[in-house]
Amino acid sequence: MLDIVDYYLNNFVMIGIGCLECIAVAWVYGYEESKEKLGVKSVMIFNAFHLAALCFSALFLAVLPKHNIPIGFCMWPLFSFSGFIGAYCTSSSSSSDTFYHLVFSGGMDKLIVIMKNNEFGEKEASASYSFILHTWALLIKYIVPMLLFILLCTGASANFDDPYEGYAGAFQNIGVLEVTIAYLILSFFMLAGINLYADMEPEAIRYDEIAYGEKKTKSAKIELDETHPSDNAVTST
């Protein structure tokens, strides 16, 4: 029995938690800021197409017969690329950084700014650090959750075809119940965390104010000096 519990815990619960962590950090966290920068329609299209890429790729790669594997590998870039095009064309932003904010939408855009600020402050980040940071962000947002979800579906499909160690169905059901309870508990904590974050949002300091606070203050002072030189002269005297 402990063997069954250990198998289902490591192969279905832990992998699923890793996948959900990536989704929470890269897609859920920072969702409101992405809507402000790109527009609601653009973000909805982008997220919907990538969710479709996740589901259909896993379906053809893991669940359906093996001869559908090439179709699964085609579904992934097809839906992802279509989502990029549709979201970019419907974006309400006219900034030159629209494509950048789209690629690193959600939590990754925020985390990149925070990590750069923590490491370099007001200084410009080195090219190597910036490259590693953006590569990490792309992996967490697009590659890792896809691979983990495919691995999860592949394991589930294989377990249905050939039950683990040939144990009887009653023992297999214990593992399924374990996975179900684990995901229910995880869902509860995720909902509680979302509600807590929503309650804290009006009182919280925005990340860009933390990251760019001093820069914004300095730029505002320079602008004030240029537009109202006489006021500043009186103040200085």
Side-chain angles (χ1 to χ4, degrees), residues 50-179:
H50 279 83
L51 178 62
L54 183 70
C55 296
F56 279 102
S57 297
L59 178 67
F60 284 102
L61 287 171
V63 180
L64 296 180
K66 297 296 185 288
H67 61 269
N68 286 313
I69 288 180
I71 300 177
F73 278 110
C74 293
M75 287 288 182
W76 188 351
L78 177 63
F79 276 96
S80 298
F81 183 74
S82 301
F84 275 114
I85 298 300
Y88 186 81
C89 294
T90 56
S91 174
S92 59
S93 174
S94 58
S95 171
S96 58
D97 296 332
T98 300
F99 183 77
Y100 175 87
H101 289 307
L102 185 61
V103 174
F104 297 100
S105 60
M108 304 320 298
D109 194 7
K110 299 178 67 172
L111 291 175
I112 287 174
V113 172
I114 293 172
M115 293 174 71
K116 278 186 176 180
N117 184 70
N118 290 339
E119 186 69 23
F120 293 94
E122 295 186 11
K123 298 179 181 179
E124 188 71 22
S126 63
S128 58
Y129 182 86
S130 181
F131 174 78
I132 293 174
L133 186 59
H134 284 82
T135 303
W136 167 81
L138 290 174
L139 290 174
I140 295 297
K141 188 172 180 66
Y142 301 105
I143 307 300
V144 175
M146 177 69 74
L147 294 179
L148 289 177
F149 189 67
I150 291 174
L151 186 61
L152 184 65
C153 294
T154 303
S157 177
N159 196 66
F160 278 116
D161 296 336
D162 184 18
Y164 175 66
E165 293 293 340
Y167 287 119
F171 290 101
Q172 301 292 339
N173 291 335
I174 294 174
V176 174
L177 180 63
E178 172 198 359
V179 173

